[in-house]
Amino acid sequence: MAQSYPDLEGFAYSFASAELSLNGNIYTAVTGVSFDQGTEEGTVKGTSPYPIARTVGTLGLGTGTITFSDDRERLDFIDDLGDGYREVIWGLTWILKGKDERQVKLECISCRVLNNPIDHSEGAEALAGEVEFSFMTHKINGKSPHAR
């Protein structure tokens, strides 16, 4: 059976072509989004020096960071969440669009602001900032990390 090699001669996904939605609003002064949510698994041990099985595992709360290049937009996001903004639950969705029109949809579900440090200083650059958040689960193209 012949192997099919991927065609890599096109354009890769770029954050410049991303559409980011926080709490249902689109923001454009975002220069980065990162998140992490690992699975903690357990093992079954016995008379072997090696594990003999593993558990499916569980997800803990995920954590992430949104980096804004314009602090005005970051503060607008915080303001839009309202009073008690660290207790408001919101969603994060961003869509990566390729030149071939294929899209990748990434979602962090049930997000909450954990920290929003402010570090302003003099200079030619625009004031910028980050929002650190936690979330319950994530999806990539509608697929969850664990089956129910």
Side-chain angles (χ1 to χ4, degrees):
M1 183 166 136
Q3 283 189 316
S4 173
Y5 289 93
D7 178 11
L8 300 176
E9 296 181 12
F11 290 97
Y13 292 114
S14 163
F15 203 78
S17 64
E19 179 179 295
L20 185 82
S21 172
L22 298 167
N23 202 31
N25 297 318
I26 294 176
Y27 293 88
T28 57
V30 175
T31 56
V33 177
S34 64
F35 75 87
D36 183 40
Q37 186 177 34
T39 297
E40 183 179 335
E41 62 182 348
T43 60
V44 176
K45 297 181 181 179
T47 57
S48 169
Y50 307 102
I52 56 176
R54 64 169 47 117
T55 64
V56 172
T58 60
L59 286 175
L61 285 173
T63 58
T65 303
I66 304 164
T67 304
F68 289 85
S69 62
D70 180 357
D71 213 29
R72 176 77 237 169
E73 202 163 270
R74 177 178 77 117
L75 296 173
D76 284 346
F77 167 64
I78 296 293
D79 193 51
D80 289 345
L81 292 176
D83 194 29
Y85 63 88
R86 287 193 182 179
E87 298 175 12
V88 175
I89 304 300
W90 45 275
L92 165 63
T93 303
W94 73 103
I95 299 171
L96 300 174
K97 300 175 183 178
K99 287 284 187 186
D100 60 0
E101 299 303 317
R102 286 187 300 170
Q103 296 183 355
V104 174
K105 182 179 181 182
L106 302 136
E107 300 172 90
C108 290
I109 298 160
S110 192
C111 302
R112 173 185 177 190
V113 173
L114 295 178
N115 195 13
N116 54 306
I118 295 176
D119 184 13
H120 294 169
S121 60
E122 185 278 329
E125 296 297 319
L127 297 177
E130 295 181 338
V131 172
E132 298 167 11
F133 64 97
S134 68
F135 58 94
M136 299 290 272
T137 191
H138 68 280
K139 292 184 178 183
I140 300 173
N141 284 334
K143 294 173 180 63
S144 298
H146 286 272
R148 292 220 167 232

